[in-house]
Every structure is written in C-alpha cells, then in structure tokens.
Amino acid sequence: MTSPPMLLRLGRRAAPSLIGRCRAAGTDTLFGVRPAVPRRFIIDTSYSAHFMDFKGSSIPSSMKKLVVTKLSQDFREAVSVRTVAVPTPGDAELLVRNRFVGINASDINYSAGRYDPSVKPPFDAGFEGIGEVVGLGLSASSRYTVGDMVAYFGSGGAFAEYTVVPAKESVPVPSMKPEFLTLLVSGATAYIAMKRLGNLAKGETVLVTAAAGGTGQFAVQFAKQAGCHVIGTCSSDEKAGFLKSIGCDRPINYSTEDLAKTLRKEYPQGIDVVYESVGGSVLELAVNSLANKGRLIVIGFISGYKTAAGITPFNGGTLPVKLLQKSASMRGFFLPHFIEDYKEALRSMMQMFAKGELVCEVDCGDMAQEGRFVGLESVFRAVDYMYAGRNLGKVVVDVAPPTVGDSKL
C-alpha cells in the first residue's frame, strides 16, 4: 500500500483510487487502518490543501494561546490567555505542536506596540519555538512530513500550544532539545552582530554586558573564538563562575565590584569592542571606555523596556565629540535587518553545537521560587524571572512536557 508521505506527493488525482482500494479491501477506515481512539486525521479529504495528523498524534479541537489585548510594557497587563480553535495550515505552512518556547527581552516591547505602531490589539505574542509538525499544506509537504521536528522564529504567535508557521521560515532540528531554541534569536544576534559590526581581530579586548544572559553567553564565546580577551559583566558569583567556564577572561560581578573603576584600572587603553544590551548608565560607561577606533554595538537597552518611554535616559550630548576624538563608532543591531545572514549563522552555530564547540545554556526555571516553567501560563512567570535578572542563560518555557514513552525528547 502506498505510504501516507507518498500519498502527499501523488496529489489530488491519485487520492480517489487509493481510497477506493482501501474500501475494496473490506474496510471503511482511511488508509485501511482503524484508529484505536477517535482522532482528526485529515482536514481536507480531497487532499488538495491540508494534511493533518496521519501518523496518529491526536490533535484537539481547541488550544490555548497568549494574545496581546492591551498595549502595555507590563506583560501581565497586556497579555491574556485565550482558548481558540486549533488553526489549519495553508498550502505552504506547517502546524507545529510547540514543545518549548523562548523568552526574549523584546517580548514586552512587542506587547507595548513599539515595533509596529500600526498593529493594534488583539494580536498574538511570542517570537520563537521548537516542536513537532502535526499538520502541513500540500506545498509544504515537499520538504516536511508529519512527525518532523522544527524550530522557528517570526513576528508573533509562538506563545501557543499550536502555531502555524511558514515552511520556508522553519528549521529542521535533529532532536527536541531546548538548546536549539537558544540559537534562533539570541545566538543569531550575537553571531551576526559580532561578525558584521564587530570586525573582531585577534588580541583585541571585548566587553560584553549582561554576559551570562541569553545572548551575552554567545557573544562571549564568539569573541573568544576570534582570539580576543573578553570581559563580561554579571550580577552574581554564580554567573561569574559560569562565564569563566565558557572562556570569559575577566568576569566582573557589578554587585560587588565597581564596574567603572575596574575598567579604568585594569584596561587603561580602553575597550576595542563593546556588545551592549543594558542601556542607560552602562551605555554611557561603554562610550567612555572605548579605545581608539573602538566599536560599540547596541543590541538593546533592557534597563528601559519596562518604563513608559521604553528607554532609560542617556546623556549623549557630547557623544559626537567622544566618537570623533577616538575615531570610534557606535552602531545599532536589529536582527530582522540582517536576515540575509541568518541561514549561514544558524548553520554554523548548529555545527559548532553538534561538535561540542558551543555552549547553549538554558534556564527553564528549575531554581525559580515556584519551580520549573511548565505549561503556557508559566510564560508570565518566565518574563518576570528574566526581568528580575535571575536567569543564567536563555529563559525557556516547557509548553508540553512529554508523556511516558514519548520518543521525541
């Protein structure tokens, strides 16, 4: 008998004859297999558009997702849990049952409507996820099949039990490890920014702020791979120990050391490259600490995201003078503007991870007061946890832990 994947490739005209043969064999069940429990196999029985769940995973009729219902930098105030119908993928789309979703500092910028003021609530939240394909459109079936494991990132919709994702924006992954999720936004930001804007040279000094966070951990490692001396700021001795373990030459715990004094004393010639994500006074210090021909890369300013303005005040009145005096530069980096570099970055990082050359630290909240981030509703706790500065590595939520006997771990 023709297998279900082969049926997908044969298309609309082949379907009636195959179904007829199943019925002629004396069964009234699709493909001649009687399911043990009622389940939804196919959305469009003409096989012209959608293929759902033919390998036997059960798709419910409804699901939960997080929806921005009010513009606010307060994530809990802006976002609500909604129960909706499980969506149907279009011709070139996949329906993904999410296993893990990633938490980003930008989640509250998105809930505040700062990225696209023309978009009004309600709209879906969440940028990135990893899960199993449980449905797909006909065109998408040329590359994927039900049961494949994929990771993805895009403009909203990941904070859901099921997400429809364009097949072209999905990345096949060999296993359902949350470490792959760390590469999609956090890793790619560090990889591309350091390569395209950092212009790292062996022997240079690099400062990474919030170095033990989701993206900082990668900036540290890529700078070390380039042969640089790396300084990393963090908020605890535990994080400082982690930074040493991934190659950071000089972790600075700013809760016990004065960052400005330490930089002036230990690095009087200045810093060649700064990977900056904090903003405010830390950004001012970074500008003042630049060496001649220094490069300052701004990938965010998390210290201001929870404010009404979205940014901490920055005293930049003399910035042109400071840059001119040192022939220094200050550039911003926003990942969607460098999408042409994305595939190469992801390919390279996945190879490094497979070879054991890249640490992808994940924080699923195991040390959080209320325990591990499990279930979609725990996204709220995970956002709070990250903004409290308690995370070590990338914050990840386990949306749907596997049941006993699940082989996709």
Side-chain angles (χ1 to χ4, degrees), residues 81-284:
V81 180
R82 293 281 179 87
T83 299
V84 299
V86 173
T88 300
D91 177 63
E93 295 177 328
L94 308 175
L95 177 63
V96 178
R97 177 191 285 125
N98 288 318
R99 170 65 199 279
F100 297 104
V101 295
I103 305 299
N104 292 283
S106 299
D107 286 325
I108 69 172
N109 285 334
Y110 195 65
S111 70
R114 290 169 180 156
Y115 287 148
D116 187 352
S118 68
V119 178
K120 304 300 180 185
F123 54 86
D124 298 341
F127 296 125
E128 56 186 344
I130 183 172
E132 178 186 359
V133 175
V134 294
L136 68 165
L138 182 58
S139 295
S141 70
S142 65
R143 294 179 54 201
Y144 294 98
T145 188
V146 167
D148 285 350
M149 291 171 284
V150 297
Y152 65 89
F153 96 96
S155 55
F159 291 163
E161 292 173 328
Y162 292 81
T163 302
V164 168
V165 183
K168 65 180 181 179
E169 295 178 9
S170 304
V171 180
V173 292
S175 63
M176 205 74 77
K177 291 182 178 180
E179 285 83 357
F180 290 115
L181 192 57
T182 70
L183 304 177
L184 300 181
V185 175
S186 301
T189 294
Y191 184 97
I192 300 171
M194 285 298 206
K195 184 175 181 179
R196 288 286 300 273
L197 308 186
N199 297 317
L200 302 180
K202 186 176 181 179
E204 289 190 314
T205 299
V206 176
L207 169 65
V208 179
T209 62
T215 189
Q217 63 172 320
F218 293 106
V220 168
Q221 293 177 81
F222 296 144
K224 282 303 297 180
Q225 289 175 9
C228 299
H229 176 91
V230 183
I231 311 160
T233 71
C234 61
S235 60
S236 70
D237 289 340
E238 178 189 9
K239 293 181 180 181
F242 166 70
L243 290 177
K244 287 182 180 179
S245 74
I246 61 173
C248 184
D249 298 287
R250 180 57 167 99
I252 300 177
N253 177 0
Y254 55 76
S255 64
T256 58
E257 294 186 79
D258 186 300
L259 179 59
K261 289 182 179 178
T262 301
L263 292 178
R264 284 196 300 268
K265 178 181 178 180
E266 299 183 18
Y267 303 95
Q269 300 302 312
I271 310 297
D272 297 300
V273 177
V274 182
Y275 186 82
E276 217 292 283
S277 61
V278 178
S281 60
V282 176
L283 178 59
E284 291 180 22

Side-chain angles (χ1 to χ4, degrees), residues 279-346:
S281 60
V282 176
L283 178 59
E284 291 180 22
L285 176 59
V287 171
N288 293 334
S289 301
L290 285 173
N292 290 340
K293 299 182 181 180
R295 289 89 71 196
L296 171 56
I297 306 169
V298 177
I299 62 114
F301 27 89
I302 191 173
S303 64
Y305 290 168
K306 298 190 78 171
T307 67
I311 184 170
T312 305
F314 169 70
N315 183 18
T318 59
L319 179 61
V321 175
K322 293 178 179 179
L323 295 179
L324 178 62
Q325 288 176 338
K326 297 180 177 180
S327 296
S329 64
M330 180 177 178
R331 294 185 63 180
F333 179 91
F334 187 48
L335 183 58
H337 295 159
F338 292 82
I339 207 68
E340 68 276 7
D341 299 293
Y342 188 74
K343 286 186 177 180
E344 189 276 330
L346 204 57

Side-chain angles (χ1 to χ4, degrees), residues 15-31:
S17 62
L18 290 169
I19 294 175
R21 271 180 285 184
C22 288
R23 288 174 178 162
T27 176
D28 58 358
T29 55
L30 195 59
F31 304 132

